[in-house]
Amino acid sequence: MTAPSGPALPVPDGLVEAFRDYERAAAEGDTTALARFVAPGSSTLAGDPHGLLVGSDAITAYAAAPPPRRLVQTHVQVTDPDHALVVALTEHESGGRGQQTQLWARTADGWVITAAHTSEPPPALDSRIWRVVGDPLVPGTPGGPLSGESVAVKDVYAVAGHPVGGGNPAWEAGAPVERGDAKAVLGLVEAGADLRGIARADELGWSLFGANPHFGTPPNPRAPYRVPGGSSSGPASAVSLGHATIGLGTDTAGSVRVPAAYQGLYGVRTTHGAIGTHGVLALAPSFDSVGWLTRDADLLALVGDVLLPDTAGPAGTSELVLVPELLALAEPDVRDAVESWAAAQGLVVRETWSLGELDEWRRAFSTWQAWEAWTVRGPWLRERLHLLGPDVRARFEHAATIDERTAERAQGVVQTARTRLRELVGDRVLVLPTTPSVAPLLGSDLGPVRGATLLLTCLAPLGGLPAVSLPLRTAAGLPCGVSLTAAPGRDRDLLALAASLG
Amino acid sequence: MTAPSGPALPVPDGLVEAFRDYERAAAEGDTTALARFVAPGSSTLAGDPHGLLVGSDAITAYAAAPPPRRLVQTHVQVTDPDHALVVALTEHESGGRGQQTQLWARTADGWVITAAHTSEPPPALDSRIWRVVGDPLVPGTPGGPLSGESVAVKDVYAVAGHPVGGGNPAWEAGAPVERGDAKAVLGLVEAGADLRGIARADELGWSLFGANPHFGTPPNPRAPYRVPGGSSSGPASAVSLGHATIGLGTDTAGSVRVPAAYQGLYGVRTTHGAIGTHGVLALAPSFDSVGWLTRDADLLALVGDVLLPDTAGPAGTSELVLVPELLALAEPDVRDAVESWAAAQGLVVRETWSLGELDEWRRAFSTWQAWEAWTVRGPWLRERLHLLGPDVRARFEHAATIDERTAERAQGVVQTARTRLRELVGDRVLVLPTTPSVAPLLGSDLGPVRGATLLLTCLAPLGGLPAVSLPLRTAAGLPCGVSLTAAPGRDRDLLALAASLG
């Protein structure tokens, strides 16, 4: 260790030894030994590329051992005989340099770290978020309305020159190189947006949380250590991180709206069928819709101007309808955020809907979705179910067991629900919590969250309705969303409304 | 600011105000005001994604103002009434989160920062290094000898589905999408290496330092705040950072060997003509050679096994020849590193060469290179010189003035030099400093360094000789290189020798 120049205090007794012990534990990846250096208490800090952890409990639960690296330089600044800052320049076995800054304090139990800050050299690309990325991958046509914007395309859209990966390595390995772009991709590039790259999806588009077992879970920058939301997880994280301004996704059961809510973004699911899905990897054609995410409402609307059909939608009002039974499906923190938002808007009508069939609708939605998913993917998957991650595999395995009569019954319920929902919404705008909760913590049991989330997110696909999710925050500062849903074809109205509500 | 829990000391007087003043200066990008918070002295530290700066002079000279961001959380740990650590979680205007850790100290002149550590959310890709990058961009053929390796291809090689960018945006915009891979690219992919991406080059391959004015200067991780070396700068930085294991470059006048030396990598320039350059953007066809960079000598040789012709080269010895006149062209720190390395090897012969013509050879090399460069690029450049960065533009402008007689005379000298160099080297291995100096500091005057560097690096292209650069370090710990050069066709011998010398 080099001593600081000037009138510096001597390096206190035991610090060098403690630092060496820490480094030995780091080199051995010994997390138990490393944990002993975390100062106990709620004010201890540990920041790394995943986020800032506050409190020794969070640090011991989430902080990872540093990757293999050696120290190139070590500097010590002693502030008093019981405290010193130790700054190390690190060279990583995998290449590149990082920095480790630690505030050490002497306690009765020896030297501990009260604050740590670790930087690591970033990878070439964050492969949790991206499959391919370029500066740009494909330049936008100059002079269009989306000039200066950049698009992260979910890896279910055809991009000329690349296979469609679909979030599964085996699918990707067998997929042909596409000869043309999917319609929505081409539309954005022709409108001037640069194609930034192809972003990760949950496996075959069938998940709401973004925890892809093959490529890793994309980060949620506004809610670290929580899931990003899926299945348009890569485009959502790319937009959150400013890697792209537009995330082009698909939404079958909530795959655009859920990551929008979890990450504090704007997101739209368009009217089913409004934007062609030729060149898009299907999941459940009755519900699959094109959608996108942005960090601001004006751009969300501008993309709609480019991609949506020019034909005028049905006439409608901007009357906002809040249904207490639906609001009650959300957890208190999200409900409060939506209530506060609604209270700040004009023209909000509270209306009681008779929703006794909601559970039945949700089950019918899931059954029909699964039936369609097995119809489109079964022929390829039949011999390859073992190549899927456990959650998506379980869903496809269940899908394979659905018999035709069950599927037809479900389809009947879906049609009833569609008619009923369209009647209920009428020419107004339904206000819903986008999801019932904030983004779940990584590693938590997602099964119950999935069911509760679908109860809210299945309404738009059941009705074939467009939906726009606006970002809100809970009292604790975590992202959540409020959704505006209206009659089919009212996409532009919703986008304009979202832009006016900001 | 939140106070730490437990028996914490109160936040000292004036610290909050000082921190606010700092943040105001940061928000305004007021570097003069920010500099006032840097504690004077040689032990002050400032680390950011560019590297760790030590001492207030270096910090004021090189540290940049933080990018636009807001503070999401601020934590203070007071160690004594005169010292406190302030940790802020930042949310960047461009997306994503970072962290700022600062140790503040009270001085007679107020509160100053003695150590700072700043993390920023990384971009989608480091566009100084990469044009396009994927996981992978193109998968290697399974089962080959290079399975598990990944290649950063200099943006002068054809890669199917992409234009060749050549390090210049106008060239890239007008370039056709390639329908096939250049031979060396295809060879690596067929041998199992994943194509990681297309990495930046200096403009049209004509520079030795890597300071591309359009895309920024790629970082030199082992020598921060110094140039990376060029023109294979992107592949070199990609290999240094572990983004790829193989950097495929070209070497006309040193474009592989210079970045190898500056970044502490292994690099090879192959015998002129040994590996076909069809599909490679030419600079000076008499000297252009395929080359590559790695972080270890075994892989450098393995790539040679894949790409080099199978035919046996000429017979030769491993006798190392050190020429004091050539060694004297290097600066003392590099000379010492090469001398120490040579002293550690067996069979080193010191030999005096009569090199009175060396300056003339170097001038003839540059003249003939420029003549060829204008011959191949002039037709496109004639109306587009203003689209080049100033250095490369000046070289092409000069190239345009060379008349045919001057060029022919230069070619004659080149031929004489070629014959003479081959005689001098014979069947032995010439040991040279790869470059006369360590990587120059960013912003320094590169003109004289260029001339001095070419005196050494022009020897291999003049002779049409293969050369392998091995990484060394100066006494100060900065990377430099030692080059092994031998008769044409002895590429495999040199690669094996480099691997045996480690």
Side-chain angles (χ1 to χ4, degrees):
Chain A
M1 297 190 186
T2 61
S5 69
L9 296 170
V11 174
D13 282 351
L15 176 62
V16 170
E17 292 73 15
F19 183 76
R20 286 203 184 127
D21 288 347
Y22 175 90
E23 281 300 316
R24 194 172 308 120
E28 292 167 359
D30 183 346
T31 47
T32 313
L34 287 171
R36 284 198 291 271
F37 293 97
V38 179
S42 61
S43 64
T44 304
L45 302 170
D48 69 13
H50 297 287
L52 177 64
L53 292 166
V54 181
S56 50
D57 291 349
I59 294 167
T60 15
Y62 287 106
R69 80 273 190 288
R70 68 184 189 89
L71 304 188
V72 177
Q73 290 173 22
T74 311
H75 303 266
V76 186
Q77 292 186 357
V78 181
T79 64
D80 64 63
D82 293 332
H83 294 92
L85 192 78
V86 182
V87 174
L89 182 65
T90 56
E91 192 159 282
H92 289 248
E93 203 174 288
S94 56
R97 285 180 171 182
Q99 185 179 335
Q100 171 183 284
T101 299
Q102 298 165 327
L103 185 59
W104 288 78
R106 192 204 303 268
T107 68
D109 298 327
W111 286 93
V112 294
I113 300 166
T114 64
H117 179 174
T118 310
S119 299
E120 292 165 14
L125 74 171
D126 188 333
S127 56
R128 301 169 302 173
I129 303 175
W130 293 104
R131 178 158 77 81
V132 179
V133 63
D135 181 36
L137 185 58
V138 179
T141 306
L146 295 178
S147 274
E149 307 299 341
S150 55
V151 187
V153 176
K154 185 180 182 178
D155 195 6
V156 298
Y157 283 87
V159 174
H162 300 267
V164 170
N168 177 276
W171 181 271
E172 182 183 327
V177 170
E178 297 291 332
R179 291 197 290 184
D181 293 330
K183 190 180 170 185
V185 174
L186 190 64
L188 293 173
V189 170
E190 287 186 340
D194 283 341
L195 205 166
R196 169 70 68 227
I198 302 172
R200 298 292 188 191
D202 253 330
E203 273 194 297
L204 304 174
W206 203 357
S207 182
L208 291 176
F209 300 113
N212 188 303
H214 308 288
F215 306 116
T217 304
N220 183 338
R222 288 247 174 93
Y225 299 96
R226 292 175 182 269
V227 302
S231 64
S232 308
S233 42
S237 294
V239 170
S240 286
L241 288 165
H243 293 180
T245 58
I246 301 164
L248 182 64
T250 53
D251 186 311
T252 302
S255 283
V256 163
R257 293 164 290 152
V258 173
Y262 285 179
Q263 297 202 33
L265 300 172
Y266 291 85
V268 59
R269 169 198 166 85
T270 56
T271 298
H272 184 254
I275 299 172
T277 52
H278 182 73
V280 185
L281 190 70
L283 173 61
S286 293
F287 303 124
D288 294 345
S289 275
V290 170
W292 54 92
L293 304 110
T294 64
R295 293 170 70 212
D296 84 78
D298 289 333
L299 181 57
L300 197 81
L302 187 57
V303 173
D305 282 345
V306 166
L307 292 184
L308 287 164
D310 280 334
T311 50
T317 71
S318 295
E319 191 176 87
L320 303 176
V321 180
L322 203 60
V323 179
E325 294 93 323
L326 293 174
L327 200 57
L329 297 174
E331 293 180 6
D333 56 344
V334 173
R335 201 163 61 215
D336 288 350
V338 173
E339 291 266 29
S340 304
W341 179 86
Q345 314 306 322
L347 275 179
V348 180
V349 174
R350 288 186 175 256
E351 196 169 281
T352 301
W353 288 5
S354 147
L355 288 169
E357 315 93 329
L358 187 56
D359 268 317
E360 190 196 349
W361 291 357
R362 206 277 292 160
R363 280 196 306 275
F365 170 80
S366 290
T367 300
W368 184 243
Q369 179 193 12
W371 169 263
E372 288 200 329
W374 189 249
T375 305
V376 296
R377 267 327 127 237
W380 182 83
L381 271 178
R382 214 175 296 277
E383 309 294 324
R384 296 183 182 87
L385 281 165
H386 62 286
L387 301 175
L388 297 178
D391 290 356
V392 175
R393 174 181 180 164
R395 283 198 275 288
F396 273 109
E397 281 174 343
H398 167 72
T401 68
I402 298 170
D403 61 53
E404 197 162 350
R405 255 186 73 196
T406 308
E408 274 173 10
R409 260 201 316 268
Q411 193 185 19
V413 175
V414 164
Q415 277 158 357
T416 307
R418 177 158 301 186
T419 308
R420 182 83 186 112
L421 277 166
R422 291 182 179 189
E423 283 169 9
L424 284 166
V425 172
D427 64 354
R428 304 167 308 166
V429 175
L430 173 64
V431 175
L432 287 176
T434 303
T435 56
S437 68
V438 300
L441 285 164
L442 290 171
S444 58
D445 179 11
L446 298 173
V449 187
R450 182 177 162 79
T453 303
L454 282 172
L455 266 181
L456 284 169
T457 60
C458 77
L459 295 174
L462 270 175
L465 311 176
V468 171
S469 181
L470 285 72
L472 301 179
R473 276 177 196 268
T474 64
L478 285 168
C480 63
V482 61
S483 271
L484 309 179
T485 299
R490 291 196 66 200
D491 306 66
R492 286 172 187 267
D493 288 352
L494 287 182
L495 289 165
L497 183 62
S500 75
L501 301 176
Chain B
M1 296 191 187
T2 61
S5 68
L9 296 170
V11 175
D13 281 353
L15 177 61
V16 170
E17 293 73 15
F19 183 76
R20 286 204 184 125
D21 288 346
Y22 175 90
E23 282 300 315
R24 193 173 309 118
E28 292 166 0
D30 183 344
T31 46
T32 313
L34 287 171
R36 284 199 290 271
F37 292 97
V38 179
S42 61
S43 64
T44 303
L45 302 170
D48 68 13
H50 297 287
L52 176 65
L53 292 166
V54 181
S56 50
D57 291 347
I59 295 168
T60 359
Y62 287 106
R69 80 276 190 286
R70 69 184 188 87
L71 304 188
V72 176
Q73 290 172 23
T74 311
H75 303 266
V76 186
Q77 292 184 357
V78 181
T79 64
D80 64 62
D82 293 333
H83 294 93
L85 193 78
V86 182
V87 175
L89 181 65
T90 56
E91 192 159 282
H92 289 248
E93 203 175 287
S94 56
R97 284 180 172 183
Q99 184 179 335
Q100 171 183 286
T101 299
Q102 298 166 327
L103 184 60
W104 289 78
R106 192 204 303 269
T107 68
D109 297 328
W111 285 94
V112 294
I113 300 167
T114 64
H117 179 173
T118 310
S119 300
E120 292 165 13
L125 74 171
D126 188 333
S127 55
R128 301 170 302 174
I129 304 174
W130 294 102
R131 179 158 78 82
V132 178
V133 63
D135 181 37
L137 185 58
V138 179
T141 307
L146 294 178
S147 275
E149 307 299 340
S150 55
V151 187
V153 176
K154 184 179 182 179
D155 196 6
V156 298
Y157 282 87
V159 174
H162 301 267
V164 170
N168 177 277
W171 181 271
E172 183 183 327
V177 171
E178 296 292 331
R179 292 197 289 182
D181 292 329
K183 190 180 169 185
V185 173
L186 190 63
L188 293 173
V189 170
E190 287 186 339
D194 283 341
L195 206 166
R196 168 71 67 226
I198 301 171
R200 298 293 187 190
D202 253 330
E203 273 194 297
L204 305 174
W206 202 358
S207 182
L208 292 176
F209 301 113
N212 188 303
H214 308 289
F215 307 115
T217 303
N220 183 340
R222 288 246 174 94
Y225 300 95
R226 292 174 182 269
V227 302
S231 66
S232 307
S233 42
S237 295
V239 170
S240 286
L241 289 165
H243 292 180
T245 58
I246 301 163
L248 181 64
T250 52
D251 186 312
T252 301
S255 282
V256 163
R257 293 164 290 152
V258 173
Y262 286 179
Q263 297 203 33
L265 300 172
Y266 291 86
V268 59
R269 168 198 167 84
T270 56
T271 297
H272 184 254
I275 299 172
T277 52
H278 182 73
V280 185
L281 191 70
L283 174 61
S286 292
F287 303 124
D288 294 345
S289 276
V290 170
W292 54 91
L293 304 110
T294 65
R295 293 170 70 213
D296 83 78
D298 290 334
L299 180 57
L300 197 80
L302 187 57
V303 172
D305 283 345
V306 165
L307 292 184
L308 286 164
D310 280 334
T311 50
T317 71
S318 294
E319 191 176 270
L320 302 176
V321 180
L322 202 61
V323 179
E325 293 92 325
L326 293 174
L327 201 56
L329 297 173
E331 293 180 6
D333 56 344
V334 173
R335 200 163 61 215
D336 288 350
V338 173
E339 291 265 30
S340 304
W341 179 87
Q345 315 305 321
L347 274 179
V348 180
V349 174
R350 288 186 176 256
E351 196 168 283
T352 302
W353 289 5
S354 148
L355 288 168
E357 316 93 330
L358 187 56
D359 269 317
E360 189 196 348
W361 291 358
R362 206 278 290 159
R363 281 196 306 275
F365 170 80
S366 292
T367 300
W368 184 242
Q369 178 193 12
W371 170 263
E372 289 201 327
W374 189 250
T375 306
V376 297
R377 267 329 126 235
W380 182 83
L381 271 178
R382 214 175 295 277
E383 308 296 323
R384 296 182 181 88
L385 281 165
H386 63 287
L387 301 174
L388 297 177
D391 290 356
V392 175
R393 175 180 179 164
R395 282 198 275 287
F396 273 109
E397 281 173 342
H398 167 71
T401 67
I402 298 171
D403 61 54
E404 197 162 349
R405 255 186 71 195
T406 308
E408 276 173 11
R409 258 200 317 269
Q411 193 185 18
V413 175
V414 165
Q415 278 158 354
T416 306
R418 178 159 300 186
T419 308
R420 181 84 187 113
L421 277 167
R422 291 181 180 189
E423 283 168 9
L424 284 166
V425 172
D427 63 354
R428 304 168 307 167
V429 176
L430 173 64
V431 175
L432 286 176
T434 303
T435 56
S437 67
V438 300
L441 285 164
L442 290 171
S444 58
D445 178 10
L446 297 173
V449 188
R450 182 177 162 78
T453 303
L454 282 171
L455 265 181
L456 284 169
T457 59
C458 75
L459 295 174
L462 271 175
L465 311 176
V468 172
S469 181
L470 285 72
L472 301 179
R473 276 177 196 270
T474 63
L478 285 169
C480 64
V482 60
S483 271
L484 308 179
T485 299
R490 292 196 66 201
D491 306 66
R492 286 173 187 266
D493 289 351
L494 286 182
L495 290 165
L497 183 61
S500 75
L501 300 177

